[in-house]
Amino acid sequence: MEEMVNMEAEINEIKLKTEIMQLEHETADITHRFYLGKKCEILQDMNRHLEAILKEKRDLRKRLIKHRCQESLPIEATYHKSIVELLTEAVTFIEKLESHLQSVRTIPQIPHMMNNMDTTLSKTKVLMIELEELTEQILKWEELQKEVYSNNVCNTADLDFGLSLT
């Protein structure tokens, strides 16, 4: 019995050692000094990189807060008027740029637009001819109406409705 208990204890001890070895094997890349050293170096490199980025960010903020006129190139006083005129022209050009671009975009459509204009002109000419014909017909009708009216007035004047005093 005692031997069996000793053997079970040995078996349990061997199982425990096996589990410990299995665990060491599974976590060797985490706990081994060689791997830990590499990971530490990688973390230090990343830390240095992040510090450099933060420093650049601080420098950028300082530059953005600083007035640009302190860093700009000095311009001689004789050129100030020319620079102002140049800037005025640049602003005008930028304001008109969209309309100029729109004009350039419509260039390929010009032949189509010309065809439309020709068609419209032809239709307008046809309408003018029809209008002239209608105008002539109206004038003829008006003259005819005048003649009919004058004839009716003359005919009624010739009629003696028995009202004569003789």
Side-chain angles (χ1 to χ4, degrees):
M1 278 295 260
E2 205 174 292
E3 275 184 33
M4 280 182 62
V5 170
N6 285 340
M7 282 177 75
E8 273 187 40
E10 268 184 61
I11 290 173
N12 286 337
E13 191 177 321
I14 292 174
K15 282 183 181 179
L16 186 60
K17 285 182 181 179
T18 309
E19 284 181 22
I20 289 173
M21 288 176 78
Q22 182 75 23
L23 187 62
E24 283 180 357
H25 178 69
E26 289 175 1
T27 60
D29 62 332
I30 298 172
T31 58
H32 195 272
R33 286 185 179 175
F34 175 75
Y35 295 110
L36 285 175
K38 279 189 175 184
K39 287 186 179 186
C40 185
E41 286 178 27
I42 291 171
L43 286 172
Q44 286 174 346
D45 287 342
M46 186 176 285
N47 188 31
R48 281 191 291 274
H49 175 71
L50 291 174
E51 285 176 352
I53 288 175
L54 285 173
K55 185 178 179 185
E56 287 177 20
K57 185 177 176 182
R58 281 188 221 114
D59 290 342
L60 278 173
R61 279 191 180 165
K62 285 179 187 176
R63 285 178 53 202
L64 288 172
I65 291 171
K66 195 184 230 185
H67 294 290
R68 293 295 298 167
C69 61
Q70 294 173 353
E71 294 181 10
S72 62
L73 297 173
I75 299 172
E76 293 181 26
T78 56
Y79 299 119
H80 283 197
K81 182 179 177 184
S82 301
I83 295 296
V84 168
E85 291 172 357
L86 179 67
L87 287 174
T88 305
E89 289 181 23
V91 168
T92 305
F93 174 77
I94 290 170
E95 287 173 349
K96 294 182 179 180
L97 181 63
E98 185 60 36
S99 65
H100 293 309
L101 289 174
Q102 187 65 29
S103 299
V104 169
R105 286 184 198 121
T106 60
I107 288 174
Q109 299 172 356
I110 289 177
H112 179 68
M113 293 168 73
M114 291 299 292
N115 288 339
N116 287 346
M117 288 175 67
D118 287 341
T119 305
T120 306
L121 182 62
S122 300
K123 289 179 181 179
T124 305
K125 286 181 180 179
V126 168
L127 288 173
M128 283 182 60
I129 291 171
E130 289 177 2
L131 181 64
E132 288 175 357
E133 290 175 358
L134 283 173
T135 305
E136 287 177 14
Q137 288 177 2
I138 289 171
L139 290 174
K140 285 179 185 177
W141 181 79
E142 184 180 5
E143 287 178 23
L144 183 65
Q145 290 300 317
K146 282 182 183 179
E147 285 179 23
V148 169
Y149 179 73
S150 64
N151 286 341
N152 283 342
V153 169
C154 289
N155 288 340
T156 55
D158 289 340
L159 293 175
D160 189 8
F161 291 105
L163 298 173
S164 59
L165 298 171
T166 50

